[in-house]
């Protein structure tokens, strides 16, 4: 009852007309959570899936249109091979289990990152799930997989350079809008709110270009303990902030 009351308390404080259209999350703390339970790290990752489900449902419940979660960074490939393999197996099983649920709830599945570096089974299952949910419109859930913001920016610069080299693009045509069109997030707005769990205060090579004006929210809560009441608390905090974009307060009134 207490948790339910907390959910309602924060949910009731949310101004539905001022929701962040796009929320990005760094899901941190699975390993530490498992260690605290006396379990292997993979147990934390498995428990973290439950948090993803609840947060997606929470976003749909109040009307958040885009949710992007940092599921696997390029740096994560440097983890012990056993953990990487377990993460890939968990990704495959979760995609297979949840694709139909996403469809029933009108949620579109998307993915960004160096997807070609994933195991072929992941690539195939991910492509199938994205195709199955591509017509859905209520919320877009994007998985950042084998993702690195620096990799993304370099890839965008390379694509632009190739177009200039081939004479398809003039140097003076290259501006912020054109550069953004070459990023993996071209079909979604920049995130207004970024949440990171577990008490770390870094953005860890995540959506560096897109988060130029994003409000950052850090919480001590470990990801497997993060639920929609925490999401709603973060949104309430976001709505108390003044987003000036270089202007002064008086110009916003």
């Amino acid at each position: 009852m207490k948790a339910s009351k907390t959910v309602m308390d924060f949910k009731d404080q949310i101004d539905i007309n001022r929701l962040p259209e796009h929320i990005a999350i760094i899901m941190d703390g699975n390993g530490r959570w498992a260690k605290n339970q006396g379990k292997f790290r993979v147990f934390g990752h498995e428990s973290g899936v439950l948090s993803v489900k609840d947060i997606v449902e929470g976003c749909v419940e109040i009307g958040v249109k885009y949710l992007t979660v940092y599921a696997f960074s390029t740096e994560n490939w440097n983890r012990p091979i056993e953990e990487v393999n377990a993460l890939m197996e968990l990704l495959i099983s979760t995609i297979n289990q949840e694709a139909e649920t996403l469809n029933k709830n009108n949620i579109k599945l998307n993915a960004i990152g160096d997807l070609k570096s994933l195991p072929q089974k992941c690539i195939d299952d991910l492509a199938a799930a994205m195709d199955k949910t591509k017509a859905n419109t209520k919320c877009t859930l994007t998985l950042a997989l084998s993702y690195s913001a620096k990799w993304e920016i370099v890839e965008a610069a390379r694509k632009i350079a190739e177009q200039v080299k081939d004479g398809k693009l003039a140097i003076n045509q290259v501006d912020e809008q054109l550069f953004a069109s070459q990023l993996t997030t071209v079909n979604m707005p920049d995130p207004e709110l970024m949440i990171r769990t577990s008490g770390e205060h870094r953005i860890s090579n995540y959506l560096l270009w897109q988060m130029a004006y994003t409000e950052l929210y850090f919480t001590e809560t470990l990801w497997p303990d993060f639920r929609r009441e925490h999401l709603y608390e973060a949104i309430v905090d976001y709505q108390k902030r003044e987003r000036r974009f270089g202007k002064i307060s008086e110009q916003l009134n």
Side-chain angles (χ1 to χ4, degrees), residues 127-172:
M130 288 193 294
D131 185 66
K132 184 182 292 186
T133 64
K134 66 183 180 181
N136 295 337
T137 58
K138 196 163 190 178
C139 180
T140 297
L141 170 62
T142 299
L143 307 179
L145 293 165
S146 192
Y147 176 85
S148 153
K150 290 183 177 180
W151 164 86
E152 179 183 33
I153 291 170
V154 168
E155 284 295 299
R158 183 178 291 122
K159 286 188 285 185
I160 291 172
E162 288 176 352
Q163 293 177 63
V164 171
K165 179 184 175 182
D166 294 341
K168 299 176 181 178
L169 193 66
I171 288 291
N172 60 8

Side-chain angles (χ1 to χ4, degrees), residues 22 68 112 147 152 180 183-190 207 210:
H22 184 181
T68 301
I112 58 174
Y147 176 85
E152 179 183 33
L183 298 172
T184 60
T185 54
V186 59
N187 294 317
M188 65 181 80
D190 290 341
L207 300 174
Q210 297 87 341

Side-chain angles (χ1 to χ4, degrees), residues 162-211:
E162 288 176 352
Q163 293 177 63
V164 171
K165 179 184 175 182
D166 294 341
K168 299 176 181 178
L169 193 66
I171 288 291
N172 60 8
Q173 291 179 282
V174 180
D175 55 17
E176 289 184 16
Q177 186 175 1
L178 184 134
F179 194 90
S181 74
Q182 303 300 306
L183 298 172
T184 60
T185 54
V186 59
N187 294 317
M188 65 181 80
D190 290 341
E192 292 97 338
L193 172 63
M194 190 284 289
I195 301 169
R196 180 168 188 155
T197 58
S198 87
E200 301 293 348
H201 293 72
R202 299 186 299 275
I203 55 176
S204 297
N205 200 11
Y206 186 42
L207 300 174
L208 296 178
W209 175 278
Q210 297 87 341
M211 290 204 294

Side-chain angles (χ1 to χ4, degrees), residues 112-132:
I112 58 174
D114 186 11
L115 304 181
K116 297 188 296 296
S117 66
L118 296 172
Q120 191 59 48
K121 176 65 172 170
C122 282
I123 295 173
D124 294 342
D125 288 357
L126 191 58
M130 288 193 294
D131 185 66
K132 184 182 292 186

Side-chain angles (χ1 to χ4, degrees), residues 4-181:
S4 177
K5 185 177 185 301
T6 303
V7 173
M8 291 307 297
D9 285 349
F10 284 115
K11 184 179 176 184
D12 289 344
Q13 294 179 48
I14 294 174
D15 182 349
I16 297 301
N17 297 313
R18 294 174 50 241
L19 282 174
E21 187 177 14
H22 184 181
I23 296 176
I25 300 180
I26 298 178
M27 308 179 294
D28 197 13
N30 290 341
R32 275 168 282 172
W33 185 88
K35 185 177 181 180
N36 292 342
Q37 309 292 319
K39 304 284 188 178
F40 291 113
R41 290 177 59 86
V42 68
F43 180 71
H45 297 309
E46 292 170 350
S47 299
V49 172
L50 300 176
S51 296
V52 175
K53 293 179 183 178
D54 196 57
I55 296 310
V56 172
E57 290 174 4
C59 284
V60 170
E61 182 179 345
I62 62 173
V64 174
K65 296 291 292 182
Y66 297 88
L67 173 66
T68 301
V69 296
Y70 208 178
F72 193 86
S73 71
T74 53
E75 290 82 7
N76 288 154
W77 290 113
N78 296 319
R79 292 187 176 185
I81 188 63
E82 296 83 3
E83 182 175 352
V84 171
N85 289 340
L87 280 167
M88 290 299 111
E89 291 174 9
L90 179 61
L91 175 62
I92 293 169
S93 64
T94 301
I95 291 171
N96 288 330
Q97 290 170 16
E98 299 302 323
E100 195 56 44
T101 301
L102 293 173
N103 229 9
K104 288 179 181 178
N105 290 285
N106 199 15
I107 299 169
K108 178 181 178 179
L109 182 65
N110 184 38
I112 58 174
D114 186 11
L115 304 181
K116 297 188 296 296
S117 66
L118 296 172
Q120 191 59 48
K121 176 65 172 170
C122 282
I123 295 173
D124 294 342
D125 288 357
L126 191 58
M130 288 193 294
D131 185 66
K132 184 182 292 186
T133 64
K134 66 183 180 181
N136 295 337
T137 58
K138 196 163 190 178
C139 180
T140 297
L141 170 62
T142 299
L143 307 179
L145 293 165
S146 192
Y147 176 85
S148 153
K150 290 183 177 180
W151 164 86
E152 179 183 33
I153 291 170
V154 168
E155 284 295 299
R158 183 178 291 122
K159 286 188 285 185
I160 291 172
E162 288 176 352
Q163 293 177 63
V164 171
K165 179 184 175 182
D166 294 341
K168 299 176 181 178
L169 193 66
I171 288 291
N172 60 8
Q173 291 179 282
V174 180
D175 55 17
E176 289 184 16
Q177 186 175 1
L178 184 134
F179 194 90
S181 74

